[in-house]
Amino acid sequence: MLGPAKGGASSSSPAAAAEAGQGTPPSKKPIVMLVIGMAGSGKTTLIQRLNSHLHTTKRAGYIINLDPAVTHMPYDANIDIRDTVKYKNVMKQYNLGPNGGILTSCNLFATRFDQVIQLCEKPRTPALEYIVVDTPGQIEIFTWSASGAIVTELFASSFPTVVLYVVDTPRCVNPQTFMSNMLQACSILYKTKLPMLLVFNKTDIAHHGFALNWMADFDSYSAALEADATYAATLSRSLSLVLDEFYTNLRSVGVSALTGAGMDDLMTAIGGAAEEYEEFYVPDLQQRKKAKEGKEQSRQAKEMEALRADMEGTSVKVGRGESGGGGGGHDGGSGGGGSSSSSSHGGTAAAGTGSGVGREQIGGVGAALGGTRVTTPGLRGVVGLGEASEAMQEGEDGFDDDQFGDA
């Protein structure tokens, strides 16, 4: 179950943090870092290093784990999906494989993510400065699922949010692997529409300078592909031209999660990405909200117009029904006249008392209800309406005909 934070916030006072130049005003919202990357890129180790760096610099941080399948974490998470959803139980209950179990667990957790947002918004002393979110190792499960979209949009609509795309630098020495990572980063950027920061991890093994050179100079990347004459190499060369604009506006930084090298540069780049969020994403978010409100108002107006049309149509039908009932009464009166005429020729005494008129009016009402009017004076009922015939028969046996005469 989701519960109170289990720690992770610094115990230093806001005044001390402000004196050190590292504090955040209490009114300022914390920066959310969505750490995304391919399996084995070092996301969990990087978050452990971020946690250590925040404690060292006395900054209040909050860590959230969204990977239900992780067996060991080198840090204590304030909110852990494993406390709410049991990954293995989900696999057994729904007969799922590993990836399906992770996806379903994340979807189940997303249904209660409003509680996570409430915990993050809870006032604290000192106020939170950073919220670090660890995502599942299978990158497509988070970036292209309903739960990933829910989590991303909820965070982005509540806090300044930055995507940290972690790259395994030693593996990117291969030009085609580098291009695969860049395409994945590009797709995430256009999917989330959030500020992105490329984090080249494991720089203690291979420095990321070659990647920066490839991003800045197409010729150098093309030269790296010269030895490879396959179709994949030709495709990578063409894609490099396509991604030239993508590289231009992209922040990047090299770090080593193992040694802690480059962490200061990383925090500075995160601050710049948060400013980009305020400058570009917030106006776009407000514009989308206005557009959504306009669509909702238009939908409500159409529904009200349809409701008015239905009500007007119903009132017209009711009016026609009342005029039809009046016609039935008129027919009943005519029937009564016929009965009187028949009685005058047949010498029937009942017509002289007026009771025949009342019975014929009942017949007129029956005819208005859908029966077939019978003009023969001797038949008082309506063919096809047994209940009306019985009522008329009861009128002969004891009904007060005068109460129908006034009608």
Side-chain angles (χ1 to χ4, degrees):
M1 298 295 291
L2 295 178
K6 296 187 291 186
S10 173
S11 60
S12 63
S13 64
E19 291 175 359
Q22 300 167 342
T24 301
S27 60
K28 187 176 180 180
K29 292 184 177 181
I31 299 174
V32 176
M33 294 179 277
L34 293 175
V35 183
I36 302 175
M38 294 186 179
S41 59
K43 297 187 300 298
T44 302
T45 307
L46 177 62
I47 291 178
Q48 187 274 336
R49 177 58 61 181
L50 277 169
N51 185 39
S52 175
H53 185 76
L54 292 176
H55 279 282
T56 302
T57 57
K58 300 186 183 303
R59 302 181 184 180
Y62 203 73
I63 299 181
I64 300 174
N65 173 47
L66 296 181
D67 189 352
V70 64
T71 57
H72 171 71
M73 292 190 305
Y75 56 85
D76 292 329
N78 298 90
I79 298 176
D80 196 336
I81 187 176
R82 298 177 300 173
D83 296 336
T84 305
V85 182
K86 303 301 180 183
Y87 163 68
K88 292 185 177 179
N89 292 345
V90 171
M91 290 178 60
K92 292 179 181 178
Q93 182 175 354
Y94 297 101
N95 296 321
L96 300 171
N99 287 347
I102 295 174
L103 177 61
T104 305
S105 298
C106 291
N107 290 342
L108 292 172
F109 189 72
T111 61
R112 306 179 60 183
F113 209 77
D114 58 319
Q115 299 181 36
V116 176
I117 299 298
Q118 291 174 4
L119 289 174
C120 294
E121 292 176 340
K122 184 179 179 180
R124 291 176 176 82
T125 302
L128 289 180
E129 296 184 51
Y130 299 97
I131 299 174
V132 186
V133 183
D134 192 3
T135 60
Q138 287 74 5
I139 187 172
E140 69 281 357
I141 289 179
F142 181 80
T143 56
W144 298 105
S145 66
S147 58
I150 291 172
V151 170
T152 302
E153 291 178 5
L154 283 176
F155 271 131
S157 60
S158 304
F159 307 97
T161 306
V162 179
V163 175
L164 303 186
Y165 183 77
V166 184
V167 180
D168 190 344
T169 308
R171 291 181 62 89
C172 285
V173 173
N174 184 324
Q176 295 185 28
T177 305
F178 169 81
M179 181 54 61
S180 298
N181 273 274
M182 294 302 102
L183 289 175
Q184 189 70 257
C186 182
S187 67
I188 294 173
L189 175 65
Y190 284 100
K191 178 69 168 55
T192 61
K193 298 181 177 65
L194 290 170
M196 174 176 284
L197 177 61
L198 281 181
V199 181
F200 289 96
N201 194 17
K202 305 180 183 180
T203 55
D204 55 308
I205 300 176
H207 195 268
H208 66 293
F210 71 93
L212 298 179
N213 188 28
W214 286 351
M215 294 168 64
D217 186 6
F218 167 77
D219 291 333
S220 62
Y221 181 74
S222 180
L225 292 169
E226 286 296 332
D228 192 348
T230 62
Y231 170 77
T234 304
L235 178 62
S236 297
R237 188 179 293 105
S238 301
L239 289 173
S240 179
L241 286 172
V242 174
L243 295 179
D244 184 61
E245 187 68 23
F246 169 70
Y247 296 148
T248 303
N249 301 309
L250 195 64
R251 290 182 173 86
S252 61
V253 62
V255 300
S256 172
L258 182 64
T259 64
M263 293 306 298
D264 291 332
D265 294 337
L266 175 62
M267 301 307 294
T268 301
I270 291 172
E275 294 177 359
E276 180 183 339
Y277 167 90
E278 298 289 348
E279 183 178 357
F280 297 102
Y281 184 83
V282 172
D284 179 67
L285 177 64
Q286 294 174 349
Q287 185 177 0
R288 282 186 287 168
K289 284 183 177 180
K290 290 181 180 179
K292 185 176 180 180
E293 291 174 357
K295 290 181 180 179
E296 181 64 18
Q297 291 176 358
S298 177
R299 183 188 66 82
Q300 293 178 359
K302 289 181 180 179
E303 290 183 354
M304 287 299 297
E305 188 65 26
L307 179 61
R308 291 192 189 98
D310 290 342
M311 293 178 65
E312 291 175 358
T314 302
S315 63
V316 170
K317 291 179 180 179
V318 171
R320 290 177 179 176
E322 292 175 352
S323 62
H330 177 72
D331 291 341
S334 300
S339 177
S340 299
S341 175
S342 174
S343 299
S344 64
H345 287 285
T348 304
T353 62
S355 60
V357 176
R359 294 189 184 112
E360 290 299 333
Q361 286 178 340
I362 294 176
V365 174
L369 293 174
T372 304
R373 186 74 181 92
V374 179
T375 58
T376 304
L379 297 177
R380 309 183 188 87
V382 180
V383 176
L385 290 178
E387 294 180 2
S389 298
E390 292 176 4
M392 290 173 59
Q393 187 65 33
E394 291 174 1
E396 275 189 334
D397 296 338
F399 257 32
D400 184 4
D401 294 332
D402 293 338
Q403 58 184 316
F404 296 102
D406 294 336

